[in-house]
Amino acid sequence: MMLASMKFDKLPLRVILSLTFILLIIVSTVSILVISVVTSRKTIHGLGFQIMEQQNDAVRSKVEQYFSPTIPVLHYVHEAIIQDDLELKNWENHARRLVPLLDAVPSISWIYYTHAESGATMGATRVFGKKGVYYSANVNSPQLTYEILPNGELSSFRFPDFNYDNQYDPRTRPWYQLAVESSDAMWTRPYSFNASGSNNITGVTASWAFRNDEGEILGVFAADILMSELEIFLKELSKMTGGYVILADQDGEPLFEMSKKEQDVFLGLKENIESNQMKFEGLVAGETVEVIYGGFFTTTLGAARRLTAEGIPDYALITLLPGADIFSLARENMVLYLSAAGVLILFSIFSGLYLANRLANPLTDLSAEMTRISDFNISSDPSGPSFIYEFSVVTGALDKMKASLRTFSRYVPRDLVRAALASGLESEVGGKTCHLSIMFADIAGFTNISESLAPKEVFAELSQCLEILTQVPEQNGGVMLTFLGDGVLAAFNAPNQLRDHAAQAVHSALEIRDQIKALNEKRMHAGDIPFHVRIGINTADVLVGNVGIPDRFSYSVLGDGANLSSRLENLNKFYGTEILVSQSTFTEGGINFEWKLIDQIIVKGRTRPALIYTPLGLQGQLSEEVSRSRDLYHQAFAYYQSRSFQEAIPLFEQSAIHSIAPRSEEVMIQRCLDYIKTPPEEGWTGSFIAYFK
């Protein structure tokens, strides 16, 4: 029922003109694409399986060559160098004979022999950039390690972070125990060598037990391959293949930590193998498993095979090749074919759409521009030309209306007009009570500046300062309500709600102070008189709305709260400050700022006393001198309010030394002197009656 009742009477003109033509073409386009993709994928996959088999065989051969010399080296050491336990007595000579084997087989980093009965160990090593020999007489003897210097002499050397504990027993290590348990040479899983800290070493060990005729173990020969060097070797193979070469252990887990890209392609291979009902960790020995996976332009070739050569670890070799380069020619041909077909199709589509766009574009632009105008987002760009006469007339009238609205927006705050347009209702006289932060800002002494200037120059000078007084509050969420000759009235939290409006008002005042200071530096450099701006801020419930008569009104604020901010602005002159805020503004927005309590006053029109403050800057950004001055002032003020005027005076004098507004200290010192001569009456609350203008 709902579908039947829907009316499609507001479809864009562009859609109506174009939809029918595009639907006629889409069937032929999809058919061509499907045929091309299916044919190309078959070709690519056939080529991919051939490449994978060749690449995996080549890599497998290099990996097996990396491991295969290790166990023959152990047998050679037994047959040619260390034939019985008596060789340990002449350990230095025999250990030196092991060193050339490290050069002959670069994959090996340690070759050593351990005596079964005593745990004595001798061997040669190539690690940490050094070649050397080492020996320990038994498990209770310290290990003696020597570097072989270029001249052939031995120099005592200790590996960084290596465990030289006298209680170290090599017979408890994994490689020794594996050799004892088997009559053949064995490979360990990767494990941590006898080191710790930043130089922790991991690797795999090939070990073989030397036995007598009765089968008793006399000792164990072993050779270590460092995982760090094996990883470098695999990375070099990866660079050579242009893909990724990964070794996995007996459980199918990679031996090394992989990069994000390596993890992605590895998991893709694993998932594809298992989806074809073959467990990844259960690869058949000697059989290569090959898969092609990924998208058309992200194809990856994957092959996995267990290493089966004699005398090497039981690892699975995985080669992963990105198909982007391998199949680039096939893809280029397919893309060329599709492009040619696509060009013909697109040409047909664009030919039909061109006329529809020429007709619909002016209307679309016109509707978009009208929508922006309804949001009071008025651009200065002229409307685009149209070859249709009626559209040209309408766009010309629209440009004139935009120019008039831009002029109007210079007289009325943009946020007010935008809110009125958004409501869709005609504005009328009236208002409501709102909780606002009101800012009065005035240029002090501008009359003196203007006396020596021509009228045109007066407005030019005034606009430099008023631009800052206007833009800063608006950038912080406030609204500049009106100009007051050489000052401004701004409100925060009306007409649009603003979170932390009190803090935003204070932040605006500090920013105005900083920008006026920067402007004055330029003016004084040019020989012009600097500006001095006074600001008063109060946070209160006030009446806000349209004030005037039905035919002409303005948006403003009324009430005692607005009057207080005006009086605070004027009180800056009395205290020598630039910014004064009421106690309510301090309470609601003061957490992010550093403050100085100035006085407790009773202003004209009020009977209740109120504390007034000046913001010194952002929280935590005061210098030590200014912070100390502020604290002294607060101590002095406490004495003042407790009628201890004599004690307050020296503290006010110390505060004035580094005060940013020393006039306030002068005022308080003079007031204390006056009260010493003529004490205040009984019931005095510490408030100063500020009834002057």
Side-chain angles (χ1 to χ4, degrees):
M1 290 293 294
M2 184 177 293
L3 291 174
S5 63
M6 291 179 65
K7 295 182 179 180
F8 297 96
D9 56 351
K10 291 185 180 180
L11 286 176
L13 179 61
R14 188 193 317 273
V15 174
I16 295 174
L17 295 174
S18 307
L19 189 58
T20 303
F21 186 73
I22 293 176
L23 289 175
L24 292 175
I25 296 174
I26 195 170
V27 175
S28 58
T29 303
V30 172
S31 300
I32 294 174
L33 288 175
V34 170
I35 294 173
S36 300
V37 170
V38 171
T39 304
S40 299
R41 285 184 68 86
K42 288 183 178 180
T43 303
I44 288 175
H45 284 194
L47 179 62
F49 284 118
Q50 296 179 14
I51 294 174
M52 274 192 293
E53 185 175 357
Q54 296 172 0
Q55 190 75 290
N56 188 264
D57 287 343
V59 173
R60 178 172 55 84
S61 175
K62 292 184 178 296
V63 172
E64 290 177 349
Q65 290 174 13
Y66 188 86
F67 287 104
S68 58
T70 307
I71 291 177
V73 164
L74 298 182
H75 291 294
Y76 172 79
V77 171
H78 167 59
E79 294 169 359
I81 300 177
I82 305 174
Q83 297 176 345
D84 56 54
D85 296 336
L86 296 177
E87 312 292 355
L88 291 174
K89 297 180 180 180
N90 191 14
W91 73 268
E92 180 181 336
N93 179 53
H94 290 84
R96 284 177 179 270
R97 294 177 63 191
L98 296 177
V99 174
L101 293 176
L102 298 176
D103 295 328
V105 186
S107 59
I108 299 177
S109 296
W110 261 288
I111 303 176
Y112 47 96
Y113 171 74
T114 296
H115 184 224
E117 182 177 351
S118 65
T121 301
M122 61 172 269
T125 178
R126 176 179 47 79
V127 71
F128 300 127
K130 301 177 183 294
K131 286 192 293 187
V133 295
Y134 62 94
Y135 171 72
S136 62
N138 52 57
V139 296
N140 296 315
S141 300
Q143 188 178 101
L144 305 176
T145 307
Y146 300 93
E147 178 187 2
I148 300 178
L149 301 178
N151 60 6
E153 295 181 359
L154 298 182
S155 174
S156 180
F157 169 70
R158 294 177 73 87
F159 295 122
D161 294 335
F162 205 80
N163 186 357
Y164 284 88
D165 185 357
N166 291 348
Q167 300 304 316
Y168 169 73
D169 188 348
R171 294 169 298 183
T172 64
R173 303 298 286 169
W175 54 269
Y176 190 97
Q177 295 175 357
L178 278 176
V180 169
E181 294 171 0
S182 175
S183 59
D184 297 323
M186 299 295 292
W187 285 90
T188 66
R189 289 173 176 258
Y191 70 102
S192 176
F193 292 176
N194 191 29
S196 61
S198 59
N199 288 312
N200 185 31
I201 307 171
T202 59
V204 293
T205 301
S207 56
W208 171 69
F210 167 41
R211 305 170 188 267
N212 60 19
D213 295 338
E214 288 75 26
E216 297 176 346
I217 296 178
L218 302 179
V220 173
F221 293 89
D224 295 338
I225 292 179
L226 296 185
M227 298 304 288
S228 58
E229 295 189 3
L230 176 58
E231 185 176 14
I232 293 173
F233 170 72
L234 294 178
K235 288 186 181 298
E236 292 297 324
L237 285 182
S238 297
K239 291 180 181 178
M240 181 188 71
T241 62
Y244 307 102
V245 176
I246 300 171
L247 276 180
D249 61 18
Q250 295 90 329
D251 299 323
E253 294 299 325
L255 296 182
F256 304 101
E257 184 177 350
M258 296 183 292
S259 66
K260 180 64 169 60
K261 288 185 177 180
E262 288 175 326
Q263 288 178 355
D264 291 341
V265 294
F266 175 76
L267 292 176
L269 171 71
K270 194 171 183 179
E271 290 172 1
N272 275 272
I273 290 178
E274 293 178 347
S275 67
N276 288 303
Q277 298 181 348
M278 295 180 291
K279 287 190 176 181
F280 179 75
E281 60 272 20
L283 296 174
V284 179
E287 179 181 345
T288 302
V289 178
E290 301 169 340
V291 293
I292 296 178
Y293 60 95
F296 185 72
F297 289 99
T298 57
T299 303
T300 298
L301 311 180
R305 182 176 184 179
R306 282 211 175 275
L307 299 177
T308 57
E310 184 178 354
I312 66 174
D314 183 19
Y315 293 152
L317 174 65
I318 301 158
T319 53
L320 299 164
L321 303 176
D325 296 332
I326 298 173
F327 304 127
S328 59
L329 182 59
R331 285 176 176 152
E332 287 173 5
N333 290 335
M334 190 197 68
V335 170
L336 181 62
Y337 169 69
L338 292 178
S339 298
V343 167
L344 294 176
I345 295 171
L346 291 176
F347 178 77
S348 300
I349 294 175
F350 286 132
S351 297
L353 295 177
Y354 176 73
L355 183 58
N357 286 335
R358 289 296 304 272
L359 293 173
N361 278 343
L363 187 59
T364 301
D365 294 340
L366 182 62
S367 62
E369 190 66 26
M370 294 300 293
T371 301
R372 286 193 290 270
I373 291 174
S374 67
D375 296 331
F376 207 61
N377 182 13
I378 306 169
S379 69
S380 58
D381 299 330
S383 302
S386 174
F387 67 93
I388 302 175
Y389 173 76
E390 287 77 4
F391 280 145
S392 297
V393 172
V394 173
T395 55
L398 180 64
D399 288 339
K400 291 181 180 179
M401 181 180 70
K402 287 162 55 180
S404 300
L405 288 174
R406 284 196 300 272
T407 301
F408 173 68
S409 68
R410 293 185 174 93
Y411 290 92
V412 181
R414 286 178 177 266
D415 287 344
L416 300 181
V417 180
R418 188 173 289 113
L421 291 175
S423 69
L425 302 175
E426 185 174 353
S427 298
E428 57 185 20
V429 175
K432 60 181 179 179
T433 300
C434 295
H435 191 65
L436 307 181
S437 292
I438 305 114
M439 172 193 288
F440 272 89
D442 183 73
I443 305 174
F446 186 75
T447 302
N448 297 332
I449 299 176
S450 62
E451 286 178 351
S452 59
L453 301 175
K456 185 175 181 179
E457 294 174 328
V458 170
F459 283 103
E461 293 281 317
L462 184 62
S463 66
Q464 291 184 16
C465 188
L466 291 181
E467 184 175 1
I468 296 174
L469 299 183
T470 301
Q471 289 183 352
V472 171
E474 290 183 346
Q475 290 169 357
N476 290 290
V479 175
M480 198 286 292
L481 298 181
T482 185
F483 290 106
L484 304 170
D486 55 0
V488 299
L489 167 62
F492 295 80
N493 205 34
N496 299 321
Q497 289 189 346
L498 177 64
R499 183 182 179 185
D500 299 331
H501 54 86
Q504 292 299 333
V506 176
H507 183 76
S508 298
L510 291 173
E511 192 171 344
I512 288 172
R513 183 191 67 183
D514 294 340
Q515 291 194 23
I516 292 294
K517 180 180 178 181
L519 175 63
N520 285 337
E521 290 177 357
K522 296 180 181 178
R523 289 179 61 82
M524 288 188 292
H525 183 74
D528 296 328
I529 301 175
F531 291 115
H532 297 284
V533 174
R534 298 192 298 257
I535 300 173
I537 304 173
N538 181 37
T539 301
D541 293 332
V542 296
L543 187 64
V544 58
N546 298 319
V547 180
I549 61 176
D551 291 338
R552 183 173 298 177
F553 47 78
S554 64
Y555 191 84
S556 187
V557 292
L558 299 174
D560 180 63
N563 296 335
L564 178 57
S565 61
S566 175
R567 289 185 170 84
L568 290 175
E569 177 271 315
N570 192 59
L571 279 173
N572 282 289
K573 179 167 51 178
F574 178 68
Y575 291 102
T577 52
E578 295 177 295
I579 307 168
L580 282 177
V581 307
S582 66
Q583 186 171 355
S584 59
T585 301
F586 166 79
T587 302
E588 294 188 31
I591 191 172
N592 297 320
F593 307 98
E594 297 281 358
W595 295 94
K596 178 179 180 181
L597 169 64
I598 297 297
D599 203 351
Q600 180 174 293
I601 64 170
I602 299 175
V603 299
K604 185 177 181 181
R606 287 191 168 200
T607 58
R608 296 177 59 186
L611 298 173
I612 58 174
Y613 300 81
T614 185
L616 302 178
L618 295 178
Q619 183 74 34
Q621 295 186 2
L622 286 189
S623 66
E624 185 176 348
E625 293 82 2
V626 175
S627 179
R628 174 63 178 162
S629 171
R630 183 263 312 274
D631 294 342
L632 287 170
Y633 189 97
H634 288 174
Q635 294 175 28
F637 191 79
Y639 278 125
Y640 163 78
Q641 288 203 311
S642 64
R643 294 174 174 260
S644 301
F645 305 117
Q646 196 67 50
E647 289 83 353
I649 290 175
L651 293 177
F652 279 128
E653 290 174 342
Q654 294 178 51
S655 172
I657 297 174
H658 294 291
S659 175
I660 65 171
R663 169 66 181 159
S664 58
E665 280 83 0
E666 295 173 6
V667 168
M668 298 307 295
I669 291 171
Q670 185 59 50
R671 195 182 300 167
C672 287
L673 293 173
D674 293 342
Y675 281 147
I676 290 173
K677 293 179 181 179
T678 307
E681 61 187 16
E682 290 296 326
W684 179 70
T685 62
S687 300
F688 174 68
I689 301 176
Y691 281 1
F692 52 87
K693 182 177 178 181

